[in-house]
Amino acid sequence: MAAQLIVALDLPRKEDALVLARELQGAVPWCKVGMELFTLAGPDIIRELHDLGFHVFLDMKFYDIPHTVAQAVKAAAAAGAELLTLHCQGGERMCSEARIAADSYGSKAPRLFGVTALTSFGPGEMPGISADPSDFALELAGKARGWGLDGVVCSGHEAARIKASCQGLRCLCPGIRPAGADTDDQQRIMTPARAVQAGADFLVVGRPILKAPSPAGAARAIQAEMQAAV
Ligand code: C5P
């Protein structure tokens, strides 16, 4: 499967998110609803994005006791999320119960992706973890696969190693920055082309698109770079 672009609708007003979604309609396959938009707009935004023809990635990064996460996964599945995130650091019981909860939705089961090390972390910044973020991400990916998750969220720098050592596990990569773009708060960044070449299955991009003079043009340029890199 060719890598797919997910546009993060990280905007402070639901109306602005829908205006952008309409501009991207038909051009981009996926939108991401994250903490900001979900908190503003509630689960209806998932249905509204489906109605515009998008697949919806719900990025709430669940991290809680197993029962609470399992119930949240069911709520997300019922709302129509097709792919969602939970923290690998929630551990085996949390992830396994999330898997069972997702699978109870049968053909509508959302894909579960485990967050490894946030792409905003550089070496030595993760509280209580002395390992390099990339090594830590690889270690968590191995566990995530054993716990039945479909994929992991990692930087492009880890994608090739994860794909090589965890067969079948998908990689969803944030921290994507076209050459010369602002890095913002991200540290483990990579260009769209290099992330695709490293084996990323999904690229999630927010500010390089949201802050561009023409967000739809920026999204198209990123997709063109992705296609040319294959
Ligand atoms: O604006 P930018 O392209 O940096 O946005 C990246 C998106 O990916 C944000 O919506 C952020 O929440 C998300 N993300 C991330 N790092 C992770 C997981 C998700 O940056 N590990």
Side-chain angles (χ1 to χ4, degrees):
M1 187 186 74
Q4 293 188 297
L5 177 63
I6 304 173
V7 175
L9 300 177
D10 295 334
L11 290 165
R13 289 178 358 123
K14 177 183 176 182
E15 294 70 28
D16 294 341
L18 287 172
V19 166
L20 176 59
R22 284 189 201 102
E23 283 176 31
L24 299 171
Q25 200 176 2
V28 170
W30 286 82
C31 284
K32 169 189 141 160
V33 175
M35 293 178 197
E36 182 181 15
L37 183 56
F38 190 82
T39 305
L40 279 168
D44 283 353
I45 187 71
I46 298 175
R47 183 186 43 75
E48 290 175 65
L49 291 169
H50 280 312
D51 290 346
L52 292 173
F54 291 101
H55 295 294
V56 179
F57 164 36
L58 182 66
D59 186 21
M60 299 293 283
K61 300 184 180 66
F62 295 142
Y63 180 39
D64 209 313
I65 59 171
H67 174 75
T68 300
V69 168
Q71 294 304 101
V73 167
K74 287 183 189 170
E82 296 161 87
L83 196 160
L84 59 82
T85 48
L86 64 173
H87 274 278
C88 290
Q89 282 186 277
E92 179 168 8
R93 276 197 300 133
M94 188 195 88
C95 293
S96 304
E97 292 199 24
R99 174 82 273 159
I100 292 166
D103 288 347
S104 71
Y105 280 77
S107 63
K108 294 211 180 320
R111 286 187 260 180
L112 302 181
F113 276 59
V115 176
T116 57
L118 294 172
T119 42
S120 51
F121 280 129
E125 288 186 344
M126 287 187 298
I129 292 158
S130 55
D132 180 82
S134 287
D135 294 336
F136 188 63
L138 183 67
E139 186 185 335
L140 288 180
K143 294 185 190 297
R145 183 167 169 253
W147 299 337
L149 301 192
D150 300 290
V152 288
V153 184
C154 63
S155 87
H157 297 278
E158 291 102 46
R161 280 204 294 165
I162 289 174
K163 300 283 289 198
S165 65
C166 306
Q167 278 214 337
L169 201 67
R170 305 282 184 199
C171 288
L172 185 156
C173 298
I176 300 299
R177 289 294 181 271
D182 270 358
T183 56
D184 303 299
D185 53 358
Q186 300 282 17
Q187 296 205 60
R188 302 199 322 285
I189 61 167
M190 195 172 258
T191 63
R194 286 199 54 218
V196 167
Q197 287 159 357
D201 297 284
F202 297 96
L203 307 192
V204 57
V205 184
R207 287 161 290 183
I209 291 173
L210 304 176
K211 294 197 302 192
S214 162
R220 277 195 293 273
I222 289 172
Q223 290 203 123
E225 180 177 334
M226 291 166 67
Q227 277 153 16
V230 176

